[in-house]
Amino acid sequence: MDTLTGLLDGPKARGAFLLRSVLTPPWALRIEDGAPLSVVTPVRGDTWILPEHGSPLLLRPGDVAIVRGPQPYTVADDPATPVDVVVGPGQVCSRDGEDVSASLSLGVRTWGDGSEADEHASVLLSGTYQAEHEIGQRLLGFLPTLLVRPAGTGADDTLVRLLAAELGRDEPAQELVLDRILDLLVVSVLRSWLAAPDSGAPAWYRAQHDPVVGPVLRLMHDDPAAAWTVADLAHRVGVSRAGLARRFTALVGEPPMAYLAGWRLALAADLLREPDCTIASAARRVGYSNAFALSAAFKRVRGLSPQEHRRLAASGQAPARPLEAGAASVPRTVILAG
């Protein structure tokens, strides 16, 4: 299993909030929902996206923007247009403090004050992940605040058209279909970002292409519960223990056992969101001998117990998490080559 598969296979949209917005210029929406990750793509009319900290960026029809939360941002027909509607937690839309979510409904997953028959109306698709999924946090922590993939890139264009076609349908299992399309669109953009030169991709992702460190990363991801030691891993890839330790640390930015511990705790954090998974069961599945050992490591690294993490996750609050080395230097905005 490569590192990207390991990070993106577990987290999946579950009941993501997806919407087609039909808006008559001038319009401006302030997004304050606190969502960890959102996707915005215009299908008709230009859209400006204004990050909380950063310069306004123009999106053309077909461009796909991934916005990393929870900081607010604004989307508008023009950077100078005053905010008209604020989108808050739970996707509640308000104008001058009054809830207008229902009054601006235009049908199935469609909202706004315009008509699609009006060629001057802007049409915007958006998808919002409702909760953090800890397995992906190692990747999400390195994402820029705003990542844009221009139109005309083949697979992304096809997925945008498919999302637009499916959004207005009200068929059995439609929510599941939309979730999976959204996931595919996100993975497609993320793969382009990770493959782009000088994209700021995390060191552990770049290291998977190394002939020594890459196989070691795959071993850890394939079987995190194994009782790995540096000596065992070195033997599996045919190098010395000291040689592996030096090479891994140089390329990944942390020693092999530190990386493995972080990966195990990320897996455990995601497992603990499942109500039927006990701490003891999570411990066994990620390589800890018992619940006490996992609890001690979890508290030491994350600053809260597994029980506290589970309670916060169940309440919809974002549990505390450590900031990885290098994450603070991630650029705010990345525009990928067309």
Side-chain angles (χ1 to χ4, degrees):
M1 180 191 299
D2 64 74
T3 53
L4 183 58
T5 298
L7 289 160
L8 294 180
D9 183 55
K12 294 182 176 68
R14 299 182 178 99
F17 185 83
L18 290 117
L19 190 69
R20 176 193 289 109
S21 299
V22 184
L23 303 158
T24 302
W27 58 268
L29 310 177
R30 173 76 169 170
I31 314 299
E32 298 181 350
D33 58 4
L37 192 72
S38 298
V39 177
V40 177
T41 179
V43 295
R44 185 203 296 167
D46 293 342
T47 294
W48 286 87
I49 186 163
L50 293 79
E52 181 74 353
H53 304 288
S55 302
L57 185 67
L58 177 62
L59 301 180
R60 302 289 190 183
D63 292 350
V64 180
I66 292 182
V67 186
R68 177 170 59 84
Q71 290 295 316
Y73 61 96
T74 299
V75 287
D77 70 315
D78 187 279
T81 301
V83 171
D84 178 48
V85 173
V86 175
V87 181
Q91 306 302 317
V92 174
C93 302
S94 60
R95 174 185 285 148
D96 299 325
E98 179 183 352
D99 188 345
V100 294
S101 305
S103 64
L104 293 179
S105 175
L106 296 175
V108 178
R109 301 183 189 88
T110 304
W111 178 94
D113 63 357
S115 168
E116 293 197 57
D118 179 3
E119 63 180 17
H120 299 294
S122 300
V123 180
L124 187 69
L125 309 182
S126 58
T128 301
Y129 287 74
Q130 302 293 292
E132 290 188 352
H133 297 283
E134 292 290 338
I135 295 179
Q137 191 56 49
R138 192 173 275 260
L139 175 61
L140 296 178
F142 278 90
L143 272 175
T145 304
L146 178 60
L147 175 62
V148 177
R149 180 67 169 168
T153 58
D156 291 352
D157 291 349
T158 300
L159 291 168
V160 168
R161 288 194 297 269
L162 181 59
L163 183 62
E166 292 288 341
L167 258 174
R169 295 183 180 176
D170 192 15
E171 304 288 342
Q174 191 66 14
E175 184 177 273
L176 179 62
V177 170
L178 291 170
D179 282 350
R180 297 293 78 80
I181 297 173
L182 180 62
D183 288 336
L184 287 171
L185 184 57
V186 169
V187 171
S188 177
V189 176
L190 292 182
R191 288 200 308 183
S192 297
W193 168 64
L194 289 166
D198 304 319
S199 65
W204 48 258
Y205 179 80
R206 298 192 301 270
Q208 73 172 330
H209 303 294
D210 182 81
V212 172
V213 176
V216 168
L217 286 168
R218 286 190 286 275
L219 287 169
M220 292 178 178
H221 282 245
D222 284 342
D223 192 2
W228 296 116
T229 65
V230 177
D232 292 334
L233 293 167
H235 176 73
R236 292 287 293 269
V237 297
V239 298
S240 70
R241 180 184 181 279
L244 173 60
R246 285 193 302 269
R247 192 178 185 117
F248 194 102
T249 303
L251 293 179
V252 178
E254 59 184 338
M257 292 299 100
Y259 178 90
L260 178 60
W263 175 240
R264 284 171 167 168
L265 291 178
L267 289 168
D270 196 63
L271 289 170
L272 290 168
R273 293 175 179 272
E274 301 174 8
D276 296 333
C277 182
T278 66
I279 298 174
S281 174
R284 289 192 298 271
R285 290 170 66 177
V286 302
Y288 286 89
S289 57
N290 52 49
F292 177 80
L294 173 60
S295 297
F298 209 97
K299 178 75 172 181
R300 182 178 65 254
V301 174
R302 292 178 172 254
L304 75 171
S305 68
Q307 294 93 331
E308 291 170 324
H309 166 86
R310 170 173 276 168
R311 177 179 55 79
L312 288 172
S315 68
Q317 302 178 56
R321 61 181 183 270
L323 180 67
E324 291 193 48
S329 62
V330 175
R332 293 192 182 278
T333 301
V334 172
I335 304 174
L336 298 173

